[in-house]
Amino acid sequence: MRFDTPAMTNPIDQGKVVGQRIHRIDGPLKTTGRAVYAYEWHDSNGRYVYGYIVGSAIAKGRIRSMDVSAARNAPGVLAVVTSDGIGDLKKGKYNTAKLFGGTEIQHYHQAIAVVVAETFEEARAAAALVKVDYAEEKGAFDLEAAKDTAVKPEEGEPDSAAGDFDAAFETAAVKFDQTYTTPDQSHAMMEPHASIAAWNGDELTVWTSSQMIDWWRTDLATTLGIDKEKVHIMSPFIGGGFGCKLFLRADAVLAALAAREAKRPVKVALPRPFLMNNTTHRPATIQRIRIGAERDGRITAIAHESWSGDLPGGGPEVAVQQTRLLYAGANRMTATRLATLDLPEGNAMRAPGEAPGMMALEIAIDEMAERLGRDPVDFRIINDTQVDPEKPERPFSHRNLVGCLRTGAERFGWQDRSKQPGGRREGNWLVGMGVASAFRNNLLVPSGARVRLDREGIVTVETDMTDIGTGSYTIIAQTAAEMLGVPVDKVAVSLGDSRFPVSSGSGGQFGGNCSTAGVYAACVKLREAVAQKLGFNSPDELTFSGGEVRAGDRRMPLAQAASDEALVAEDRIEFGDLDKTHQQSTFGAHFVEVGVDVATGETRIRRMLAVCGAGRILNPITARSQVIGAMTMGVGGALSEELVVDTERGFFVNHDLAAYEVPVHADIPHQEVIFLDESDPMSSPMKAKGIAELGLCGVAAAVANAIYNATGVRVRKYPITLDKLINGLPEVS
Amino acid sequence: MQSPGALEISRRDLLVASAATVTVASTASLSHFQTSTAAASQSTKISFTVNGERRELQLDNRTTLLDALREHLHLTGTKKGCDHGQCGACTVLADGRRVNACLTLAVMHEGEDITTIEGLGQPGSLHPMQAAFVEHDGFQCGYCTPGQICSSVAMLEEIKANIPSHVTGDLLAPAEVTPAEIRERMSGNICRCGAYSNIVEAITEIAGRKA
Ligand code: FES
Ligand code: FES
């Protein structure tokens, strides 16, 4: 199905199942420990053995030699596969750093060997016996130091401009110019990367933890130099990803190579300390923002420049993206520059671009509002735009940022915010409120599905879509149920298997809208097949409801269409240019109240509210969970998350969950989420848009602005730890 | 790339070792490591009760309780998030007390009564806490969830037993089930999906029902 004209009324609009509060259909499996994740595949016929990874101890250079004799002779060891032994392997299309193979070292903890033994304990012990002689080279690890060497990236749109920023800024009545930094961040999802690989002749099955089944399948085949058709990927349950499982990772490659060498199925999990340096991270940024405005608060000039680093061949963090679209202003420019750094690969983490971009932009907007003497909510409303500010002929498909801000201000009690920073004190606590806009683009990715109706009236959906905690199982079941007029418990959903039609996968907050749109397309086909089978003429006039198919007075049980054989339909949604003619984005507003301990500078989050305008909400329960989870991650970004770079030896020092501090229960209060009632016919037949990343964009800035409102201390360098606040706090008597 | 000369030099004094690699500067220490590896791979027969069932295992002494459950008994409901006692995904109940199963060796649990998430309930007959997690959507990816649930069940017992926490104001008064107490006591169980707000609601509901 090609989606190239705005959606009309369709069966999804009935809203009998889609949009309803339906509990996760995989909930009973997950809460009882019966959901089977990558490392847990158990087949009593297969005797799995264990692979343990060895990582490089240097950040840049070459392996001169490896001595694996002690490892090979250690108890239980079956095989040792080394990077220098196997030689160069072809790199997958989506990876920047190679995952394995050859003697070149591109980053710390790059995989250089896998040791296979009968048991996990034996493999781990033997891996510690591998000896490596390195020729170490000097690398660049410090973004600040490398900033001046940054270049204009060759791909994407590194520069954008409209009007004449320089002239408008020069003559603006009120001017603002500040620089912000965001640190390297780690996805830190709870399930570390893990794979089990089993060969059957020249065919390979890998049970793994992947957000994008087809990307993994393609890149694994490329890396191993085998035909893609010979690779079978399974990933039905994924313990979180946040972007870290978008691209093929070393565990799958090592498991496949080790299984080939050991001639046994092999399990490989990345130990937690490998996650930060072996995989990817969100790159640090330096961002300069300039804003010029009239005294009445209207922005006349806005500029956003960003610097980040990556390995050679990698890309920039596109932190300026939202600034091209979020606020009005005739004169504008953005620039993205990329330095070469020899740190581990920088890549997508939840809301790449906008997450760090909004961390900076939304503090800048707060600062500018103050400079203009305007309320930060009003300042944002004054500068709303209904068109792409760079191309005013191009409207937003649907945009209600103003509604988000107004609803939020009212529900949060914004009028009680102290106008004076540091103006509200409760005992030892300095109390403040902050606001930020939320913004994230809506991306459209083709997505396929297969739907089957059997004689019991059970509908089975198969797609290689993944559920990384987002609720895909549930919203896909709801979609099929709505389309075919059956209750959700008559729908079975099978996901994460490369034998199923290729889906959008999970990333860029496109998975919910696009994968359900693919299921919609397949269901439309199935409806046609049902109509034909039951002898109805025009499928468009049929009603599918209550397990029946109806046209006028005629009604037939749905299951009857499959009475002699199951009916199967497959289709995929493809998108025309509605995202070119119209700017498709999602909007929101974050409100946060903090208390800062006047003596210690410790920040506690007291209240949080998000208001989201993001098209049709397919399931308010799972959508809300996406948003509160994102708000939680935003608190981490504001207050504690930072991968600390050893700028001498070139690696992230705090590579575990004790030292890389993500929020815990005690850090997070009760959270409120409000969804504006909307639907966007430009985005898909589902009229839904993304929500999972929107929830993150702006949160950290809202926290930062609340801290400023509480204390009068403006911190422009994330995370806002107490050492950055304490000198600016009032004297404690 | 493997020239014998380079290997010679590296044997003498130029070895660099990674965090996961042991620095070995001489043949003497190499043999020392081989001996210790051999010694450590000794095994022990252990017997304990898991989810009401008597289980006997012959285990490498280095096997954690977590790996005994996951790799030897195939009870994979208990998760490995870090293997370092930093995340709580591996929380199980040992003689009724919650414990990070990755931080304790299986051989230390001889004769004990272990309860895992599989022992609390199953689809169709959920433990009330499991049902409350489903009801309040106290999870997303589900990977921290078995640990959160086991932890919360034991945590409520700790409050009942009047064991104080960091946020308990009055040590002489009976411990109370408040959101602050729940958050403090559950802080060893990380949820990167960020379901905390919903988890606290699920636990509060169960605590209220019990009281
Ligand atoms: S796996 Fe045991 S605490 Fe993380
Ligand atoms: S549900 Fe994913 S980590 Fe808690």
Side-chain angles (χ1 to χ4, degrees), chain B residues 26 44 47 61 63 80 87 108 112 141 152 154 185 198 200:
Chain B
S26 71
T44 301
S47 96
N61 291 350
T63 309
K80 186 186 277 192
C87 75
M108 297 158 72
E112 285 184 12
C141 76
S152 59
R185 292 168 190 264
N198 289 353
V200 171

Side-chain angles (χ1 to χ4, degrees), chain A residues 91-99 104 106-107 110 219 247-249 279-280 309-316 338 341 343-348:
Chain A
K91 186 170 69 64
K93 173 169 150 205
Y94 295 99
N95 300 116
T96 303
K98 70 184 162 86
L99 296 175
E104 188 199 357
Q106 297 166 297
H107 63 86
Q110 193 162 29
D219 275 358
F247 318 114
L248 180 68
R249 299 251 60 89
T279 71
T280 62
D310 202 0
L311 289 164
L338 176 63
L341 290 182
L343 289 170
E345 175 176 330
N347 218 319

Side-chain angles (χ1 to χ4, degrees), chain B residues 22-59:
Chain B
V22 180
T23 307
V24 182
S26 71
T27 357
S29 58
L30 175 65
S31 56
H32 164 76
F33 264 96
Q34 278 176 328
T35 324
S36 62
T37 307
S41 62
Q42 291 189 356
S43 68
T44 301
K45 188 162 166 195
I46 123 146
S47 96
F48 49 13
T49 306
V50 180
N51 299 333
E53 208 181 310
R54 194 90 199 137
R55 306 301 295 252
E56 289 201 349
L57 291 170
Q58 185 77 35
L59 291 176

Side-chain angles (χ1 to χ4, degrees), chain A residues 650-661:
Chain A
F651 67 103
F652 299 124
V653 181
N654 48 342
H655 48 61
D656 62 27
L657 289 171
Y660 183 84
E661 295 178 353

Side-chain angles (χ1 to χ4, degrees), chain B residues 66 79-91 100-103:
Chain B
L66 176 59
K79 304 304 180 197
K80 186 186 277 192
C82 68
D83 221 6
H84 288 72
Q86 299 170 344
C87 75
C90 62
T91 308
N100 283 347
C102 71
L103 273 193

Side-chain angles (χ1 to χ4, degrees), chain A residues 142-151 286 307 337-339:
Chain A
D142 185 348
L143 177 62
E144 189 73 49
K147 183 179 169 229
D148 292 339
T149 67
V151 298
I286 300 169
W307 292 261
R337 294 295 177 266
L338 176 63

